[in-house]
Amino acid sequence: MLVSLPRRLALFAAPVTCLNFAASLLIGLPMRLAALLAFAPQSGLRHYLKAQFADQTFKGLYHWNWFDAAVLLPYFAVMIVLAFYGVHRYTMCYLYFKYKKNYNPNPLRLFEELPRVTVQLPIFNEQFVIDRLIEAVCAMEYPKDKLEIQVLDDSTDETQQVAADIVARYAALGHPIEYIHRTNRHGYKAGALDAGLKVAKGEYVAIFDADFVPPPDWLMKVIHHFAEPEIGMVQTRWSHMNRNYSMLTQIEAILLDGHFIIEHGARVRTGDYFNFNGTAGMWRIKAIADGGGWQHDTLTEDTDLSYRSQLAGWKFKYLPEVECPSELPIEMTAFKTQQARWAKGLIQTSIKVLPLMFKSSVPRRIKVEAVYHLTANLSYPLMIVMSVLLLPAMVCRFYQGWFQMLIIDVPLFTASTASIAVFYLMAERELFPKTWWKTFLYLPFLMALGIGLTVTNSKAVMEALIGLKSPFVRTPKYRVAKKGEKSQASKYRKRLILAPWIELLIGCYFFAAILYTFSNHNYFTAPFLILFVMGYWYTGLMSLLQGRFERWRTGGANTDEESSPKPFPVGV
């Protein structure tokens, strides 16, 4: 009877969707009741370990059925794909250290006479940070007769007047700066940069977004690398003025450190293609033209142009020792806006650029790395699929035994998940050799945040895959660097619609999964599921309540309520 009844119940539950929690419970109900009766008089750790790993009472009673196959086959397919991306992270770490010596921070030659440089500052509604940016750029050490500064303003609010007044003041002081305002946002940032190039006088162009503050010696540290005639672009490393502002900014900084230390470092040292990051970099204008110029059919125009320019034969350099301080988003919704734009833009770029890569004569190794680089955000919709299947898969795997889980699940988990910890730990160890161990404290929250981003980023990726276009959504700039400072830019917050509520519901689903694992004494799975609950609830609640958190933290009313009559909820 014990052999057939579970199978009958499984067949009964199979037509029901895999998301049905009740069906998952019914599959193993007889076995659980029998186990409960068999072991009821006993308790303690010894009994638990024996029951989980040594007891053979029910060995051979479980048999596969088509419901299990419908759940486990897609589940393991997703896990295998995620494992491939995880192995790639291990590979990046290996290549970074293997070819660590393949880097010379010094230019191979120097210009006898400094060339003319144009500095472009693309802005859109940045009234709270534009003065800081212009002040920093005008303080840069470079001959004024060889320098041109363009403030490319697409703003539709008070920023127009603020920026125009600041430019006029610095121009009166003798700085070579001009204000260029467009009456439309055609092409968004790419369109503004292209419009500026049409009237630029320099041979080289440096680009800084509004939330960056380049140091005075930045131009002099970068320009001489272009004395090598094959160099088309030089990228410098982002550092972060408000890294210690909150838990969120700490995690954001670690995420970006992984990209700028391990990813960029490994790619440039092995000769693979890597990308301009949209700011804190300098281009040879001829390399932009040879790559086809700025194009706005993707949301990551920087990566798009980077690949086209490298396919045209230009070489790129990366200078990790040259820092350019920047401001991290301090609100969850601003961070999600930024991440969704990057996720969608990279998939758009992969659809556009990868066919060109495959047709080109570049080495196969570079093509493979480009696939990993440009398609990495496909992991977000895959994570959604895994989230849906995780609970029913857990039920099926529970009755298959611990040995199968050990030889199949653990290797896949190690490849897809543990690689994240290794990747970011190695980056922080390189950047902060004395304090890198503190990263261990942030890893659970980093992984939880990555899980929580799956809803908004999956939506962005699916829009890219089906060809749905969307406008370039700027990341709001807040001008805060220290704990306790209040944001001046609450007027740039936008209302959320559905995403945070979906995140909260998915978090509840995983909370139910935790309760189910405890009811089956499957305690080893609970820590993993807790990350899902933390991630979805954190991103959901912070998106809905960020404005209130700001008000509570500062202990007073929102001084910007006049210009932002509906500050709550806030979001993308």
Side-chain angles (χ1 to χ4, degrees):
M1 184 64 180
L2 283 174
V3 177
S4 59
L5 183 55
R7 297 182 65 188
R8 292 173 186 171
L9 288 172
L11 291 172
F12 173 79
V16 186
T17 175
C18 295
L19 287 174
N20 192 320
F21 181 69
S24 300
L25 291 176
L26 285 173
I27 296 172
L29 184 58
M31 285 188 178
R32 294 196 355 258
L33 289 174
L36 181 62
L37 292 174
F39 300 111
Q42 306 178 51
S43 61
L45 177 61
R46 182 178 178 182
H47 161 65
Y48 169 72
L49 294 175
K50 178 183 177 182
Q52 291 292 317
F53 304 112
D55 190 88
Q56 302 294 313
T57 303
F58 301 105
K59 183 178 180 180
L61 295 182
Y62 176 82
H63 298 281
W64 270 70
N65 54 63
W66 69 270
F67 173 75
D68 293 354
V71 170
L72 293 178
L73 290 179
Y75 173 76
F76 281 117
V78 169
M79 286 289 288
I80 290 170
V81 174
L82 292 176
F84 272 108
Y85 284 104
V87 170
H88 177 252
R89 281 190 287 269
Y90 286 123
T91 304
M92 297 293 284
C93 294
Y94 169 75
L95 293 175
Y96 175 83
F97 289 103
K98 180 180 180 180
Y99 297 100
K100 192 172 182 178
K101 295 182 179 179
N102 289 8
Y103 172 67
N104 182 5
N106 302 309
L108 299 182
R109 63 188 73 175
L110 302 177
F111 283 111
E112 294 182 2
E113 181 181 353
L114 289 174
R116 191 173 184 86
V117 173
T118 297
V119 178
Q120 291 186 326
L121 311 178
I123 64 172
F124 175 72
N125 294 350
E126 320 279 8
Q127 60 177 303
F128 302 112
V129 294
I130 184 60
D131 60 324
R132 182 181 66 184
L133 173 64
I134 293 177
E135 179 183 2
V137 172
C138 287
M140 297 179 89
E141 300 164 356
Y142 207 81
K144 291 184 178 180
D145 62 327
K146 300 284 189 179
L147 185 65
E148 174 190 34
I149 304 171
Q150 296 179 336
V151 178
L152 306 174
D153 187 12
D154 283 0
S155 298
T156 56
D157 67 354
E158 300 93 330
T159 304
Q160 296 180 46
Q161 190 61 48
V162 172
D165 291 344
I166 295 172
V167 169
R169 183 166 73 248
Y170 278 95
L173 294 174
H175 295 280
I177 187 170
E178 62 177 326
Y179 176 75
I180 301 175
H181 181 261
R182 297 196 305 167
T183 57
N184 64 75
R185 291 190 70 198
H186 176 71
Y188 304 105
K189 180 181 176 181
L193 294 172
D194 186 57
L197 281 184
K198 292 177 179 177
V199 296
K201 302 181 179 68
E203 301 174 58
Y204 306 91
V205 56
I207 301 171
F208 299 100
D209 284 348
D211 49 342
F212 282 71
V213 185
D217 58 351
W218 191 93
L219 284 176
M220 292 302 297
K221 286 183 175 180
V222 172
I223 188 62
H224 288 289
H225 290 275
F226 286 97
E228 301 172 50
E230 70 275 13
I231 299 299
M233 190 279 297
V234 176
Q235 176 68 53
T236 62
R237 181 170 61 85
W238 297 3
S239 57
H240 313 291
M241 297 179 289
N242 60 340
R243 184 187 191 102
N244 298 318
Y245 181 82
S246 66
M247 173 70 76
L248 177 61
T249 56
Q250 285 277 9
I251 296 172
E252 290 172 4
I254 294 172
L255 290 170
L256 287 170
D257 289 343
H259 173 69
F260 279 94
I261 299 298
I262 301 298
E263 283 192 77
H264 271 358
R267 288 181 180 129
V268 74
R269 293 172 188 184
T270 56
D272 290 326
Y273 287 1
F274 76 100
N275 62 293
F276 170 56
N277 292 104
T279 178
M282 184 183 292
W283 282 85
R284 190 189 299 266
I285 290 181
K286 190 175 188 307
I288 296 177
D290 289 351
W294 292 110
Q295 298 175 11
H296 58 270
D297 52 348
T298 74
L299 293 179
T300 48
E301 71 291 324
D302 41 19
T303 303
D304 173 26
L305 177 59
S306 296
Y307 273 84
R308 287 187 280 111
S309 182
Q310 288 172 103
L311 283 171
W314 289 98
K315 304 296 183 183
F316 287 7
K317 292 191 81 170
Y318 173 56
L319 308 178
E321 75 285 349
V322 180
E323 299 182 23
C324 189
S326 65
E327 179 184 317
L328 294 162
I330 64 170
E331 293 187 342
M332 178 61 68
T333 49
F335 176 61
K336 288 163 73 173
T337 299
Q338 181 190 72
Q339 294 298 307
R341 187 180 73 241
W342 291 351
K344 183 173 183 175
L346 282 178
I347 297 300
Q348 290 175 325
T349 301
S350 71
I351 295 171
K352 176 181 178 179
V353 167
L354 287 181
L356 302 177
M357 291 284 296
F358 296 147
K359 293 177 184 177
S360 72
S361 59
V362 300
R364 181 181 299 175
R365 172 181 52 82
I366 295 178
K367 295 178 181 179
V368 171
E369 178 56 35
V371 172
Y372 274 112
H373 180 197
L374 297 178
T375 65
N377 288 298
L378 290 175
S379 60
Y380 287 109
L382 292 177
M383 281 289 293
I384 290 289
V385 175
M386 191 181 76
S387 297
V388 170
L389 295 175
L390 190 59
L391 181 55
M394 186 192 313
V395 175
C396 297
R397 299 295 284 157
F398 178 77
Y399 293 108
Q400 290 176 0
W402 67 271
F403 183 73
Q404 291 89 335
M405 296 182 70
L406 182 65
I407 64 174
I408 299 176
D409 296 57
V410 172
L412 290 176
F413 176 81
T414 302
S416 60
T417 306
S419 63
I420 298 173
V422 173
F423 183 83
Y424 291 109
L425 284 171
M426 292 299 98
E428 296 305 295
R429 187 173 182 270
E430 286 293 287
L431 202 54
F432 305 107
K434 295 183 179 180
T435 60
W436 69 275
W437 56 270
K438 295 181 180 179
T439 309
F440 279 102
L441 303 176
Y442 294 101
L443 280 179
F445 303 100
L446 182 149
M447 297 176 73
L449 180 60
I451 292 169
L453 290 173
T454 54
V455 173
T456 51
N457 283 6
S458 294
K459 176 178 179 291
V461 168
M462 296 309 296
E463 287 178 352
L465 291 175
I466 65 176
L468 182 62
K469 299 293 184 181
S470 58
F472 185 100
V473 181
R474 62 181 289 279
T475 304
K477 313 303 189 301
Y478 300 100
R479 193 165 187 160
V480 292
K482 300 177 182 178
K483 289 184 178 180
E485 288 185 354
K486 184 177 180 181
S487 166
Q488 302 181 62
S490 61
K491 66 176 292 181
Y492 293 135
R493 294 172 181 157
K494 296 181 180 179
R495 295 181 63 84
L496 282 168
I497 303 175
L498 191 58
W501 301 107
I502 295 176
E503 291 162 356
L504 292 177
L505 286 174
I506 297 177
C508 292
Y509 171 74
F510 281 104
F511 184 75
I514 292 175
L515 297 179
Y516 177 74
T517 61
F518 275 91
S519 72
N520 282 287
H521 306 290
N522 187 11
Y523 304 116
F524 295 109
T525 312
F528 179 65
L529 295 176
I530 289 172
L531 290 178
F532 281 79
V533 176
M534 287 173 51
Y536 285 116
W537 281 359
Y538 177 59
T539 54
L541 288 173
M542 290 294 284
S543 297
L544 289 173
L545 304 175
Q546 187 73 69
R548 288 188 174 91
F549 291 152
E550 174 73 12
R551 185 173 180 176
W552 294 336
R553 187 178 61 80
T554 56
N558 189 342
T559 58
D560 293 318
E561 285 185 358
E562 278 189 22
S563 58
S564 184
K566 294 182 178 179
F568 313 122
V570 298
V572 184

